[in-house]
Amino acid sequence: MERVARRNRAYDPWVRRSPTLGKLVAVTVVPALLAVVGLFHPTGLDPSTAHMWAMMHIWLLPVFPLLTLGLIVPLWGRPVRGAAGVATVVAWLGAAVFAALYTGLDAVAGIAAGTVQSHAAEGQDVRQSIAALFETADAMGHAGVQALAVAVVAASAVLAGRHGWRVLPGTAVLLVCTYEFYDSHIFYPRGVLTMVGFAVGFALLNWPAVHRPAAAPAPGE
């Protein structure tokens, strides 16, 4: 029996570590994926890149909203009463607004603009139409990133109440990233570095919540 108990104690840290690693993967995999995609994202839209431009944004359509997992995972569960509950709801709403508006940017500036360019007749000038699409998409994207910044601040306030100053490094990194994300999208190099920053920031923000010291062994163990 003693041998079984020792084996169970040795295995227990791995049991605890598995959910921790799973949560960290959940909050970092999307920005890491977007960083990789950004390495191949065309830097401009023209007849030679139009098809790839449109298809890439079709595939990315469900991906950008998942960037908010970095805020949703640590706030998972029913909101508590009081200021922390209000801040949790604000964070969720900010994440939802970002998801909706950035999906709009992806559809308009990515799919629609790429489709217009790829179907333009030879010699047809579609620059004015594409510029109008970009203008509309930029307005949605900028508002979406602003909502994401609000969500970051609200989520950080909730987590700071739970874990103290340890969430501040993640908050700082994420706020810098939202500032850069405002006009960098995932274009290389700024956009790629911004996505890498989001992965780092989400990991730092979530680390205090998922990393808890192992419980001390009971006397006699």
Short mmCIF file of all heavy atoms in Angstrom, two decimals, residues 131-172:
data_model
loop_
_atom_site.label_atom_id
_atom_site.label_comp_id
_atom_site.label_asym_id
_atom_site.label_seq_id
_atom_site.Cartn_x
_atom_site.Cartn_y
_atom_site.Cartn_z
N ALA A 131 -10.90 51.13 -52.21
CA ALA A 131 -10.61 52.13 -51.18
C ALA A 131 -11.82 52.35 -50.29
O ALA A 131 -11.68 52.51 -49.06
CB ALA A 131 -10.18 53.45 -51.84
N ALA A 132 -13.02 52.35 -50.88
CA ALA A 132 -14.24 52.52 -50.08
C ALA A 132 -14.44 51.33 -49.15
O ALA A 132 -14.84 51.50 -47.98
CB ALA A 132 -15.44 52.69 -51.00
N LEU A 133 -14.15 50.14 -49.62
CA LEU A 133 -14.27 48.94 -48.78
C LEU A 133 -13.26 49.00 -47.63
O LEU A 133 -13.59 48.69 -46.47
CB LEU A 133 -14.04 47.68 -49.61
CG LEU A 133 -15.14 47.32 -50.61
CD1 LEU A 133 -14.69 46.19 -51.52
CD2 LEU A 133 -16.43 46.93 -49.88
N PHE A 134 -12.03 49.39 -47.93
CA PHE A 134 -11.01 49.51 -46.89
C PHE A 134 -11.40 50.54 -45.83
O PHE A 134 -11.17 50.35 -44.64
CB PHE A 134 -9.66 49.87 -47.50
CG PHE A 134 -8.93 48.72 -48.12
CD1 PHE A 134 -7.81 48.93 -48.89
CD2 PHE A 134 -9.36 47.41 -47.94
CE1 PHE A 134 -7.12 47.87 -49.47
CE2 PHE A 134 -8.69 46.34 -48.50
CZ PHE A 134 -7.56 46.57 -49.27
N GLU A 135 -11.97 51.66 -46.28
CA GLU A 135 -12.37 52.71 -45.35
C GLU A 135 -13.43 52.20 -44.37
O GLU A 135 -13.35 52.43 -43.16
CB GLU A 135 -12.89 53.93 -46.10
CG GLU A 135 -13.25 55.10 -45.20
CD GLU A 135 -13.71 56.32 -45.98
OE1 GLU A 135 -13.69 56.27 -47.24
OE2 GLU A 135 -14.08 57.32 -45.34
N THR A 136 -14.43 51.49 -44.91
CA THR A 136 -15.47 50.93 -44.05
C THR A 136 -14.89 49.89 -43.10
O THR A 136 -15.21 49.88 -41.91
CB THR A 136 -16.57 50.28 -44.92
OG1 THR A 136 -17.15 51.28 -45.76
CG2 THR A 136 -17.65 49.65 -44.05
N ALA A 137 -14.04 49.02 -43.63
CA ALA A 137 -13.45 47.96 -42.81
C ALA A 137 -12.56 48.53 -41.71
O ALA A 137 -12.59 48.05 -40.56
CB ALA A 137 -12.64 47.01 -43.70
N ASP A 138 -11.77 49.55 -42.05
CA ASP A 138 -10.90 50.16 -41.04
C ASP A 138 -11.70 50.74 -39.88
O ASP A 138 -11.30 50.62 -38.72
CB ASP A 138 -10.03 51.25 -41.67
CG ASP A 138 -8.88 50.69 -42.49
OD1 ASP A 138 -8.58 49.48 -42.33
OD2 ASP A 138 -8.29 51.44 -43.28
N ALA A 139 -12.83 51.37 -40.19
CA ALA A 139 -13.66 51.94 -39.13
C ALA A 139 -14.15 50.85 -38.18
O ALA A 139 -14.14 51.01 -36.95
CB ALA A 139 -14.85 52.69 -39.74
N MET A 140 -14.58 49.71 -38.75
CA MET A 140 -15.02 48.60 -37.91
C MET A 140 -13.86 48.00 -37.12
O MET A 140 -13.98 47.71 -35.92
CB MET A 140 -15.68 47.52 -38.77
CG MET A 140 -17.02 47.91 -39.33
SD MET A 140 -17.90 46.51 -40.09
CE MET A 140 -16.85 46.24 -41.53
N GLY A 141 -12.73 47.82 -37.78
CA GLY A 141 -11.58 47.24 -37.10
C GLY A 141 -11.07 48.10 -35.97
O GLY A 141 -10.74 47.59 -34.89
N HIS A 142 -11.00 49.42 -36.19
CA HIS A 142 -10.52 50.32 -35.14
C HIS A 142 -11.45 50.28 -33.92
O HIS A 142 -10.98 50.21 -32.77
CB HIS A 142 -10.43 51.75 -35.67
CG HIS A 142 -9.36 51.92 -36.70
ND1 HIS A 142 -9.29 53.01 -37.55
CD2 HIS A 142 -8.30 51.13 -37.03
CE1 HIS A 142 -8.25 52.89 -38.33
NE2 HIS A 142 -7.63 51.77 -38.05
N ALA A 143 -12.77 50.30 -34.16
CA ALA A 143 -13.72 50.23 -33.05
C ALA A 143 -13.61 48.88 -32.34
O ALA A 143 -13.70 48.80 -31.11
CB ALA A 143 -15.14 50.45 -33.56
N GLY A 144 -13.38 47.81 -33.10
CA GLY A 144 -13.24 46.50 -32.50
C GLY A 144 -12.02 46.40 -31.61
O GLY A 144 -12.08 45.83 -30.51
N VAL A 145 -10.90 46.95 -32.05
CA VAL A 145 -9.68 46.91 -31.23
C VAL A 145 -9.84 47.78 -29.99
O VAL A 145 -9.34 47.43 -28.91
CB VAL A 145 -8.47 47.35 -32.08
CG1 VAL A 145 -7.23 47.48 -31.21
CG2 VAL A 145 -8.22 46.36 -33.20
N GLN A 146 -10.54 48.90 -30.10
CA GLN A 146 -10.82 49.71 -28.92
C GLN A 146 -11.64 48.91 -27.90
O GLN A 146 -11.40 48.97 -26.69
CB GLN A 146 -11.54 50.98 -29.33
CG GLN A 146 -10.66 51.97 -30.08
CD GLN A 146 -11.45 53.10 -30.72
OE1 GLN A 146 -12.67 53.06 -30.79
NE2 GLN A 146 -10.74 54.12 -31.21
N ALA A 147 -12.63 48.15 -28.40
CA ALA A 147 -13.43 47.31 -27.51
C ALA A 147 -12.57 46.23 -26.87
O ALA A 147 -12.75 45.89 -25.69
CB ALA A 147 -14.58 46.67 -28.29
N LEU A 148 -11.60 45.69 -27.62
CA LEU A 148 -10.69 44.70 -27.07
C LEU A 148 -9.84 45.30 -25.95
O LEU A 148 -9.59 44.64 -24.93
CB LEU A 148 -9.79 44.15 -28.18
CG LEU A 148 -8.79 43.07 -27.77
CD1 LEU A 148 -9.51 41.83 -27.24
CD2 LEU A 148 -7.90 42.70 -28.96
N ALA A 149 -9.40 46.54 -26.13
CA ALA A 149 -8.62 47.20 -25.08
C ALA A 149 -9.44 47.37 -23.82
O ALA A 149 -8.95 47.17 -22.70
CB ALA A 149 -8.12 48.56 -25.59
N VAL A 150 -10.72 47.74 -23.96
CA VAL A 150 -11.61 47.85 -22.80
C VAL A 150 -11.75 46.49 -22.12
O VAL A 150 -11.72 46.39 -20.89
CB VAL A 150 -12.99 48.38 -23.24
CG1 VAL A 150 -14.00 48.28 -22.08
CG2 VAL A 150 -12.88 49.83 -23.72
N ALA A 151 -11.88 45.42 -22.92
CA ALA A 151 -12.00 44.08 -22.36
C ALA A 151 -10.74 43.69 -21.60
O ALA A 151 -10.82 43.06 -20.53
CB ALA A 151 -12.28 43.08 -23.48
N VAL A 152 -9.58 44.06 -22.11
CA VAL A 152 -8.32 43.75 -21.43
C VAL A 152 -8.27 44.44 -20.07
O VAL A 152 -7.92 43.83 -19.05
CB VAL A 152 -7.12 44.18 -22.29
CG1 VAL A 152 -5.82 44.15 -21.48
CG2 VAL A 152 -6.99 43.28 -23.51
N VAL A 153 -8.62 45.72 -20.04
CA VAL A 153 -8.59 46.46 -18.77
C VAL A 153 -9.58 45.87 -17.77
O VAL A 153 -9.26 45.67 -16.59
CB VAL A 153 -8.89 47.96 -19.02
CG1 VAL A 153 -9.03 48.70 -17.70
CG2 VAL A 153 -7.79 48.59 -19.86
N ALA A 154 -10.80 45.57 -18.24
CA ALA A 154 -11.81 45.02 -17.34
C ALA A 154 -11.41 43.65 -16.82
O ALA A 154 -11.53 43.36 -15.61
CB ALA A 154 -13.15 44.94 -18.06
N ALA A 155 -10.92 42.78 -17.70
CA ALA A 155 -10.49 41.45 -17.27
C ALA A 155 -9.32 41.54 -16.30
O ALA A 155 -9.26 40.81 -15.30
CB ALA A 155 -10.10 40.60 -18.49
N SER A 156 -8.40 42.45 -16.57
CA SER A 156 -7.24 42.62 -15.68
C SER A 156 -7.67 43.10 -14.31
O SER A 156 -7.08 42.70 -13.30
CB SER A 156 -6.24 43.59 -16.30
OG SER A 156 -5.75 43.10 -17.54
N ALA A 157 -8.68 43.97 -14.26
CA ALA A 157 -9.17 44.45 -12.96
C ALA A 157 -9.74 43.29 -12.14
O ALA A 157 -9.49 43.19 -10.92
CB ALA A 157 -10.24 45.52 -13.18
N VAL A 158 -10.49 42.41 -12.80
CA VAL A 158 -11.04 41.25 -12.09
C VAL A 158 -9.92 40.35 -11.59
O VAL A 158 -9.90 39.93 -10.42
CB VAL A 158 -11.98 40.44 -13.01
CG1 VAL A 158 -12.48 39.19 -12.30
CG2 VAL A 158 -13.15 41.29 -13.47
N LEU A 159 -8.96 40.05 -12.46
CA LEU A 159 -7.89 39.13 -12.09
C LEU A 159 -6.94 39.74 -11.07
O LEU A 159 -6.37 39.03 -10.24
CB LEU A 159 -7.12 38.72 -13.35
CG LEU A 159 -7.95 37.92 -14.37
CD1 LEU A 159 -7.15 37.67 -15.64
CD2 LEU A 159 -8.43 36.61 -13.77
N ALA A 160 -6.76 41.06 -11.11
CA ALA A 160 -5.93 41.71 -10.09
C ALA A 160 -6.57 41.58 -8.72
O ALA A 160 -5.86 41.43 -7.71
CB ALA A 160 -5.73 43.19 -10.45
N GLY A 161 -7.89 41.63 -8.66
CA GLY A 161 -8.57 41.42 -7.39
C GLY A 161 -8.37 40.02 -6.84
O GLY A 161 -8.39 39.81 -5.63
N ARG A 162 -8.15 39.06 -7.73
CA ARG A 162 -7.95 37.68 -7.30
C ARG A 162 -6.49 37.36 -7.02
O ARG A 162 -6.17 36.60 -6.09
CB ARG A 162 -8.44 36.71 -8.38
CG ARG A 162 -9.92 36.81 -8.72
CD ARG A 162 -10.25 35.86 -9.87
NE ARG A 162 -11.62 36.01 -10.35
CZ ARG A 162 -12.11 35.38 -11.41
NH1 ARG A 162 -11.33 34.56 -12.09
NH2 ARG A 162 -13.36 35.57 -11.77
N HIS A 163 -5.58 37.91 -7.84
CA HIS A 163 -4.19 37.46 -7.80
C HIS A 163 -3.18 38.59 -7.56
O HIS A 163 -1.98 38.34 -7.55
CB HIS A 163 -3.83 36.76 -9.12
CG HIS A 163 -4.81 35.70 -9.52
ND1 HIS A 163 -4.95 34.51 -8.83
CD2 HIS A 163 -5.73 35.66 -10.52
CE1 HIS A 163 -5.89 33.78 -9.39
NE2 HIS A 163 -6.38 34.45 -10.42
N GLY A 164 -3.67 39.81 -7.40
CA GLY A 164 -2.77 40.91 -7.09
C GLY A 164 -1.93 41.37 -8.26
O GLY A 164 -2.31 41.23 -9.43
N TRP A 165 -0.76 41.91 -7.94
CA TRP A 165 0.09 42.58 -8.93
C TRP A 165 0.62 41.63 -9.99
O TRP A 165 1.12 42.08 -11.04
CB TRP A 165 1.28 43.23 -8.23
CG TRP A 165 2.20 42.23 -7.58
CD1 TRP A 165 2.16 41.78 -6.30
CD2 TRP A 165 3.30 41.56 -8.21
NE1 TRP A 165 3.14 40.86 -6.07
CE2 TRP A 165 3.87 40.70 -7.23
CE3 TRP A 165 3.86 41.58 -9.48
CZ2 TRP A 165 4.96 39.88 -7.49
CZ3 TRP A 165 4.95 40.76 -9.75
CH2 TRP A 165 5.49 39.93 -8.75
N ARG A 166 0.52 40.32 -9.79
CA ARG A 166 1.11 39.37 -10.73
C ARG A 166 0.46 39.43 -12.11
O ARG A 166 1.05 38.94 -13.09
CB ARG A 166 1.00 37.95 -10.18
CG ARG A 166 1.88 37.70 -8.94
CD ARG A 166 1.83 36.24 -8.54
NE ARG A 166 0.48 35.83 -8.17
CZ ARG A 166 0.10 34.56 -8.08
NH1 ARG A 166 0.95 33.59 -8.39
NH2 ARG A 166 -1.13 34.27 -7.71
N VAL A 167 -0.72 40.01 -12.22
CA VAL A 167 -1.37 40.11 -13.54
C VAL A 167 -0.91 41.35 -14.30
O VAL A 167 -1.21 41.49 -15.49
CB VAL A 167 -2.90 40.11 -13.41
CG1 VAL A 167 -3.39 38.90 -12.64
CG2 VAL A 167 -3.41 41.40 -12.77
N LEU A 168 -0.22 42.28 -13.63
CA LEU A 168 0.12 43.54 -14.27
C LEU A 168 1.07 43.41 -15.46
O LEU A 168 0.91 44.12 -16.46
CB LEU A 168 0.70 44.50 -13.22
CG LEU A 168 -0.28 44.92 -12.11
CD1 LEU A 168 0.40 45.91 -11.16
CD2 LEU A 168 -1.54 45.52 -12.71
N PRO A 169 2.10 42.55 -15.41
CA PRO A 169 2.96 42.41 -16.60
C PRO A 169 2.16 41.99 -17.84
O PRO A 169 2.36 42.53 -18.93
CB PRO A 169 3.97 41.34 -16.20
CG PRO A 169 4.04 41.44 -14.71
CD PRO A 169 2.65 41.77 -14.27
N GLY A 170 1.25 41.03 -17.67
CA GLY A 170 0.42 40.61 -18.80
C GLY A 170 -0.47 41.73 -19.30
O GLY A 170 -0.64 41.91 -20.52
N THR A 171 -1.03 42.50 -18.38
CA THR A 171 -1.88 43.63 -18.75
C THR A 171 -1.10 44.65 -19.57
O THR A 171 -1.58 45.13 -20.61
CB THR A 171 -2.44 44.32 -17.50
OG1 THR A 171 -3.17 43.37 -16.72
CG2 THR A 171 -3.36 45.46 -17.87
N ALA A 172 0.10 44.97 -19.12
CA ALA A 172 0.93 45.95 -19.83
C ALA A 172 1.26 45.48 -21.25
O ALA A 172 1.15 46.25 -22.22
CB ALA A 172 2.21 46.20 -19.04
#
